[in-house]
Amino acid sequence: MMTGGADSTRPLPLAGIRVLDVSQVMAGPYCSMLLGDMGADVIKIEPPGTGDQTRGAMGFKMKGSDSMGFLNMNRNKRSIALNLKSAAGREILHKLAKTADILVENYRPGVMKKLGCGYEDLAKINPALIYASISGFGQSGPWASRPGFDLMAQAMSGVMSVTGHPGGPPVKAGVPVADIGCSLFATYAILAAYIGRKNTGLGQYIDASLFDAALAFSIWDTSEYWGTGKIPEPLGTANRMSAPYQAVRSKDGYFVMGATNQKLWRLLCDTLGRQELVDDPRFADIPARLANRPVLIEELEKSFVTRTSDEWVDLLLAVGIPAGTMYTYPEAFESEHGKHRKMRMDIDHPVEGTVPNIGFAVKLSGTPQQVRRHPPLLGEHTDAILDEIGIDAAAAADLRAKGAFAP
């Protein structure tokens, strides 16, 4: 039915596991999509009327009402539209919780508890439930009640303080590192809790935050600060641990390269025909090159500007020096390597026809991920899901009259 998966006689590793995705936008939906890619039955519980906020996001329209962003974070899910502000909607969520292994939510801290759908409430119904809350700053602490967005997490974790060029204005990382990082850490914790449950039969509560995730990425920067007492500053494309290791100017633009140890440094100088750089005390070893990085790059670029980026990348790779071309996203996806790695896949969709999705970021040999379901339409699977938890048409009509499915 859909491209992107591979046939396998072995069941997917999370087959038979039910996940309730009570989240919106990015970190929560991406986390639950990863679980769905591995075989979990993911039920996306959305507000009636609008659904996940990301359905209507981005500044351009598709054939239908769902954004391309939504379509890239919600494959392998089923959708039910529930008004959790109504008692009838909460009744259905409680019934679903009895059947679930995992719940992922990213409401502001305390909201689910006020609705009677917090961990303590649902653990009484299902002690084996693994309940993951994703927020901007965690479930406790002075900032816990603040709205949580990737931009704020990048700023307040320090990530923005080291992004950009020295002396320049604040720059955020070009990709949502706090959102995606939190999603990955939450997935890791969920799977660890699931493995642990096999021994105890008990679920547990997971508190994941964008702030914590962004800070967890600061290994080199924080290590420098703790080791020297110097507050890290932006370095552009350069690196705190070695030099030269950054983007450098060529005849027709820029490319990236790294001579990160003495062997590679000498090889670089030999390749450039610049023996005097090896003998220059300013560049004698890594500490010296780090201390004199601006003049080091200035000297190297005197050679690099004599040829094009592609020429230098080919030459440096041929002698064993790491180097790479600076691609746009379209160039990366359409590159020979991007195609070989299947980093774009096309998914059948009832409204769009087909939609492109970013491919699976890791490859499993025995149980490769599969695209089993298109990103769902809002409430597309409501009737089927209700039937699975024993709510027949008459009961569903009663719940509908009580506002379970209305905005």
Side-chain angles (χ1 to χ4, degrees):
M1 175 183 171
M2 306 174 190
T3 61
D7 292 333
S8 174
T9 57
R10 293 161 61 177
L12 290 172
L14 300 186
I17 295 175
R18 172 164 285 181
V19 178
L20 304 183
D21 176 11
V22 196
S23 67
Q24 300 190 51
V25 189
M26 177 165 280
Y30 192 79
C31 167
S32 59
M33 183 182 74
L34 294 178
L35 299 173
D37 288 348
M38 293 291 188
D41 173 25
V42 179
I43 298 176
K44 187 172 182 67
I45 298 170
E46 303 185 69
T50 57
D52 185 328
Q53 296 174 37
T54 310
R55 286 186 182 272
M58 309 188 78
F60 59 92
K61 292 293 185 181
M62 307 293 290
K63 293 178 182 177
S65 58
D66 294 335
S67 74
M68 183 61 78
F70 176 86
L71 297 172
N72 261 273
M73 289 185 289
N74 290 282
R75 63 178 176 255
N76 286 328
K77 300 181 185 181
R78 299 188 289 164
S79 172
I80 179 172
L82 286 183
N83 179 4
L84 297 182
K85 294 180 181 179
S86 71
R90 293 192 295 272
E91 178 184 342
I92 296 172
L93 179 62
H94 284 200
K95 287 181 178 293
L96 283 168
K98 290 181 181 180
T99 72
D101 298 282
I102 298 160
L103 183 146
V104 179
E105 65 91 10
N106 67 349
Y107 283 86
R108 195 176 296 193
V111 169
M112 289 290 277
K113 183 176 182 179
K114 288 180 181 178
L115 291 173
C117 300
Y119 173 65
E120 294 81 3
D121 304 297
L122 300 187
K124 293 176 183 177
I125 298 171
N126 179 2
L129 182 67
I130 296 163
Y131 190 116
S133 290
I134 293 175
S135 63
F137 299 95
Q139 301 298 306
S140 63
W143 299 343
S145 63
R146 295 191 180 197
F149 295 97
D150 181 85
L151 180 65
M152 287 70 195
Q154 286 198 36
M156 299 180 73
S157 66
V159 168
M160 286 178 64
S161 75
V162 297
T163 307
H165 290 273
V171 177
K172 73 176 183 66
V175 294
V177 292
D179 266 326
I180 296 298
C182 183
S183 176
L184 296 176
F185 285 128
T187 303
Y188 137 84
I190 287 168
L191 295 177
Y194 181 76
I195 293 170
R197 193 183 75 174
K198 292 181 179 294
N199 296 323
T200 65
L202 297 174
Q204 60 179 295
Y205 185 69
I206 295 168
D207 176 1
S209 86
L210 276 63
F211 175 78
D212 295 0
L215 268 176
F217 285 155
S218 70
I219 295 172
W220 292 129
D221 307 300
T222 300
S223 295
E224 180 183 61
Y225 170 63
W226 284 339
T228 67
K230 179 182 176 182
I231 297 176
E233 298 178 348
L235 293 176
T237 63
N239 181 267
R240 301 187 187 283
M241 305 304 295
S242 189
Y245 182 85
Q246 64 182 82
V248 290
R249 187 188 300 274
S250 69
K251 186 177 182 179
D252 63 346
Y254 288 86
F255 67 98
V256 295
M257 54 77 58
T260 54
N261 57 44
Q262 289 301 95
K263 178 182 177 181
L264 289 174
W265 167 243
R266 294 190 182 96
L267 181 59
L268 175 64
C269 294
D270 183 61
T271 302
L272 298 179
R274 301 288 302 275
Q275 183 60 40
E276 79 277 10
L277 297 180
V278 176
D279 300 329
D280 192 320
R282 296 174 300 174
F283 314 135
D285 53 23
I286 290 175
R289 292 195 292 277
L290 286 170
N292 296 284
R293 180 172 22 229
V295 67
L296 167 66
I297 299 305
E298 181 181 341
E299 285 294 333
L300 291 176
E301 288 184 341
K302 291 178 181 178
S303 297
F304 288 142
V305 295
T306 64
R307 299 189 184 191
T308 67
S309 293
D310 286 344
E311 288 175 319
W312 280 118
V313 169
D314 290 343
L315 178 59
L316 294 179
L317 290 177
V319 299
I321 298 172
T325 305
M326 296 183 66
Y327 284 140
T328 63
Y329 284 126
E331 289 170 336
F333 278 108
E334 293 302 315
S335 68
E336 183 180 14
H337 192 74
K339 290 179 178 178
H340 176 81
R341 298 296 294 176
K342 299 180 180 178
M343 287 311 297
R344 169 180 167 150
M345 55 188 181
D346 293 302
I347 298 176
D348 295 338
H349 190 273
V351 175
E352 304 297 336
T354 60
V355 291
N357 262 216
I358 297 173
F360 303 121
V362 293
K363 279 68 175 175
L364 282 73
S365 65
T367 56
Q369 303 98 314
Q370 297 176 17
V371 179
R372 298 168 290 111
R373 295 182 180 276
H374 61 259
L377 305 177
L378 178 59
E380 179 179 356
H381 306 94
T382 298
D383 292 340
I385 292 169
L386 294 178
D387 184 65
E388 289 172 10
I389 57 175
I391 298 176
D392 60 21
D398 180 58
L399 291 166
R400 181 170 287 104
K402 295 176 180 177
F405 313 113

